[in-house]
Amino acid sequence: MKVMQKIWDSAKKDLKTIILPEGEEERTIIAAGKINDNSLANLVLIGNEEKITTKAKEVMANIQGVTIIDPETSDKTAVYAKELYELRKHKGVTEEKALKIVKDPIYFGTVMVKVGDADGMVSGAIHTTGDLLRPGLQIVKTTPGTSIVSGTFIMQVPNCEYGDNGLLFFADCAVNPNPTAEQLATIAISTAETAKKLCQVEPRVAMLSFSTMGSASHEFVDKVRKATEIAKELRPDLQIDGELQLDASIVPEVAQLKAPNSNVAGKANVLVFPDLQAGNIGYKLVQRFAKAEAIGPVCQGFAKPINDLSRGCSADDIVNVVAITAVQAQ
Ligand code: ACO
């Protein structure tokens, strides 16, 4: 838990306001108590106040000082509905429809983040990735200069010499099924920034392929090569190289043979996968076979931080994702 301890410490230094829209859900309420007890963030729980306080007593969660907002009764509902209407009227959303949509806690929370009444949001204990990401993509949108949102896993691999003593960042493992070269370049840059911001590591980014520096020819390889060029051009200050096979990226001896002139090969700590199938399978392989801790997905690229949970998450997972979101918001 070394990585998470660092993130907790950062979160405590500058408290941010984080929304938990699944406010009536038991694990969320237990997590709210822990976040409150550890002063990791100021919290807003969305839901019915009586239901939340009754459940909090049942599970002995200290939610004193936590703000509870019910979209059914809040005087903010009409304000947020108007905001939502203005943002989405070009997509056919009417004022009447906006009022109905905004009563959905995830939409309510997303608009709240958008207008600056909160700094970030964490959800997904009882919703799918799409249920959470879609409102975020439609309303909060991407940060200026970033074209897409993507998802990184912070991988902490035990007894491992690769990356930074087993600490690596894998992307995109969660959002974009088949990124273009331009989008892949964005994913690389976003992941480098995430590594710096959350874990204060100096990123060394490998653009992964089944080819190393021209050893194979295929349109898939061309995409990774082009993405590497774009990323390098956009951010000459970052260490990014490719295309590289996984072994050439992380094993110094292999790098020496296959890519001796690369400043990244053999010591990469950020691995950018060519598509979502590779990324999603890749992080799960390392998680299961190497018994790695996989923290995430950390969503990157949103104008304000929004993060997803697995529906199988524990209360402690929620606490950690709130801490990550709070640090992203700093
Ligand atoms: N970044 C920024 N904006 C985006 C992105 C993106 N990656 N993807 C879509 N958008 C925008 C679109 O431009 C659109 O905006 P607009 O309405 O203002 O025009 C809006 O979001 C909706 O776009 P759609 O194409 O309709 O997106 P869709 O509703 O299909 O869903 C989603 C987007 C949910 C992210 C989809 O790409 C998806 O399901 N991805 C895979 C998620 C997944 O299953 N991951 C694996 C499991 S997670 C895990 O294992 C950890």
Side-chain angles (χ1 to χ4, degrees), residues 148-159:
I148 53 161
V149 166
S150 54
T152 291
F153 273 89
I154 306 171
M155 304 297 295
Q156 183 72 71
V157 191
N159 309 315

Side-chain angles (χ1 to χ4, degrees), residues 217-236:
S217 307
H218 192 277
E219 60 184 297
F220 294 170
V221 179
D222 293 342
K223 178 176 95 168
V224 178
R225 202 172 296 146
K226 188 170 169 207
T228 308
E229 276 168 27
I230 298 169
K232 281 181 170 181
E233 207 174 295
L234 288 172
R235 291 294 302 272

Side-chain angles (χ1 to χ4, degrees), residues 8 30-32 34-35 40 314-324:
W8 275 41
I30 296 171
K34 294 185 179 196
I35 293 159
L40 291 173
S314 64
D316 286 340
D317 293 332
I318 301 175
V319 174
N320 287 335
V321 178
V322 166
I324 287 169

Side-chain angles (χ1 to χ4, degrees), residues 236-255:
D237 59 306
L238 291 173
Q239 297 182 72
I240 301 177
D241 213 357
E243 84 285 1
L244 290 165
Q245 285 162 289
L246 188 270
D247 54 356
S249 301
I250 59 171
V251 184
E253 298 77 24
V254 180

Side-chain angles (χ1 to χ4, degrees), residues 3 21 28 31 63 80 84 113 116 146 226 231-232 260 280 283 297 322-323 326:
V3 177
T28 303
I63 57 164
Y80 293 162
L84 180 63
V113 172
T146 302
K226 188 170 169 207
K232 281 181 170 181
N280 193 268
Y283 99 80
V322 166

Side-chain angles (χ1 to χ4, degrees), residues 15-25 27-53 56 60-70 112 318-319 322:
L15 282 195
K16 293 292 168 188
T17 301
I18 306 299
I19 304 174
L20 295 170
E22 296 163 330
E24 296 171 13
E25 194 271 328
R27 288 162 297 168
T28 303
I29 295 172
I30 296 171
K34 294 185 179 196
I35 293 159
N36 213 17
D37 287 342
N38 288 284
S39 301
L40 291 173
N42 299 318
L43 286 181
V44 178
L45 293 179
I46 299 183
N48 177 277
E49 184 159 0
E50 200 184 322
K51 282 188 189 161
I52 293 173
T53 47
M60 291 190 293
N62 164 26
I63 57 164
Q64 208 171 12
V66 169
T67 304
I68 299 174
I69 302 181
D70 185 349
M112 204 170 161
I318 301 175
V319 174
V322 166

